[in-house]
Amino acid sequence: MEMSALSIKYEHLHTCKESGARLGILHTPNGSVPTPLFMPVGTNATVKTLDEIEALNVSEGLILGNTYHLWLQPGLEVMKAHGGIRGFMNWPKALLTDSGGFQVFSLAKLRKITDEGVHFQHHKNGDKLFLSPEKAIEIQHVLGADIIMSLDECAPFNADYDYMKKSVDRTLTWAKRGKIAHGESKTQALFGIVQGGPFIDLRKYCADELIKIDFPGYAIGGLSVGETKAEMYQVLEAMKDFLPADKPRYLMGVGAAEDLLEGCINGMDMFDCVFPTRLARHGTAMTKNGRLNIKNQSFTNDLGKLDESCTCPTCERYTRSYIRHLFKAEEFLGMRLLTIHNLFFLKNLMSDIRKAISEDRLLTFKKEFLQNYLK
């Protein structure tokens, strides 16, 4: 598809009559992907434990890289030499990079936020670092992802109103500066990030001001950071009316099956999270009947599949007994097999969600799915 002046284009196909969820296609310079979709996270230019062929098989062709971590290791000179993440990790499809803003939140003890940017201590060697909106754009230009993110401040969800208002204003100022630094690009689309914690008026204010700046896509940040599911869903329900219908909507850091369903019902198109791969590395499989801890002794002689309905390479080839053995023997293959399974599970779930949207039955599908998954 011709990208014209934009490096991405959202094509709306259908709105579910039962739920209001959106079905679409996100066109990028490196391939088109169906929406809504889940994007596996490749923090260090790798989806943990998988090679690029395996990552292709468990994704729709759009994965994430982490700006902060790749800036520090291997560094921009190495990334330049490879022509960006795509050449570095031999990834043939679409990419998204975050801005480093989440590290402002997660590395709270190692940073100081100012209006100019964020002063960091390197989380490993203690070196002094500075990340500004302009620097975040510079790094992401080198990384070369199709979709890049504005630097934002992800304030604690329980911050008081006055602090959250100042934080939102800072995020908006940084968004304007990042947009100027980014300039016009036919190969990279810069998204704005809506912040505001639990305060719906601040969320609307932030969204309205970002829309004035005119980004090709919008993300919702500051959720799945310790708030209750009820609090998260309340924000999502409000947000569906605040964002443009003709541009993609990205809910950051959400990967639990029930949250993906709720996000889709509230008009979200894109999701990412380390949740499924982290579960896998600790021996937990996502199945249609809920989570399964493969380390449990009950699986010692179990010759069944992780999930009887699953057709992923792990379930097609290996028994629960064998995978349990791998974890008990501390063999890395166990982590790889569960990672493949969990990401395949979410890829398949999103495919089922898209089918339900096309058939105007997503609320019905949600009820049927969760009856087994949350039992």
Side-chain angles (χ1 to χ4, degrees), residues 105 157-158 222-229 231:
F105 172 81
F157 195 83
N158 61 357
L223 292 178
S224 195
V225 291
E227 78 281 5
T228 66
K229 288 188 183 295
E231 288 171 326

Side-chain angles (χ1 to χ4, degrees), residues 134-192:
E134 293 81 6
K135 184 66 177 181
I137 296 297
E138 176 192 338
I139 297 166
Q140 291 182 91
H141 282 174
V142 172
L143 297 179
D146 304 80
I147 300 170
I148 66 177
M149 306 303 296
S150 302
L151 183 64
D152 63 323
E153 182 187 353
C154 180
F157 195 83
N158 61 357
D160 64 37
Y161 187 92
D162 287 344
Y163 183 88
M164 195 66 77
K165 174 63 166 62
K166 293 176 183 176
S167 175
V168 166
D169 284 334
R170 181 179 288 127
T171 287
L172 291 170
T173 298
W174 287 357
K176 293 173 186 176
R177 287 167 53 188
K179 179 79 180 294
I180 293 169
H182 180 53
E184 297 296 327
S185 173
K186 293 186 178 181
T187 59
Q188 291 184 296
L190 175 64
F191 280 24

Side-chain angles (χ1 to χ4, degrees), residues 267-280:
M268 298 297 110
D269 306 305
M270 305 160 63
F271 307 86
D272 82 284
C273 196
V274 298
F275 180 71
T277 50
R278 182 174 289 163
L279 280 182

Side-chain angles (χ1 to χ4, degrees), residues 82-83 94 173 197 219 249 273 277 308 342 350:
H82 287 83
T173 298
R249 304 167 177 179
C273 196
T277 50
E308 287 302 322
N342 282 356
M350 299 309 291

Side-chain angles (χ1 to χ4, degrees), residues 172-226:
L172 291 170
T173 298
W174 287 357
K176 293 173 186 176
R177 287 167 53 188
K179 179 79 180 294
I180 293 169
H182 180 53
E184 297 296 327
S185 173
K186 293 186 178 181
T187 59
Q188 291 184 296
L190 175 64
F191 280 24
I193 303 177
V194 180
Q195 292 288 355
F199 304 108
I200 303 305
D201 62 327
L202 292 182
R203 290 280 182 177
K204 185 177 189 307
Y205 164 68
C206 191
D208 289 346
E209 294 302 309
L210 289 172
I211 291 167
K212 292 177 185 177
I213 302 172
D214 190 23
F215 290 96
Y218 297 91
I220 297 176
L223 292 178
S224 195
V225 291

Side-chain angles (χ1 to χ4, degrees), residues 14 16 47 56 61 67-68 94 101-102 153 157 162 197 213 239 244-245 248 254 283 292 301 304 307 312 318 333 339:
H14 182 73
C16 177
V47 178
L56 272 172
T67 293
Y68 172 81
F102 185 73
E153 182 187 353
F157 195 83
D162 287 344
I213 302 172
M239 288 303 306
V254 168
L292 179 154
N301 298 306
D307 188 334
C312 78
Y318 301 106
L333 180 59
T339 298

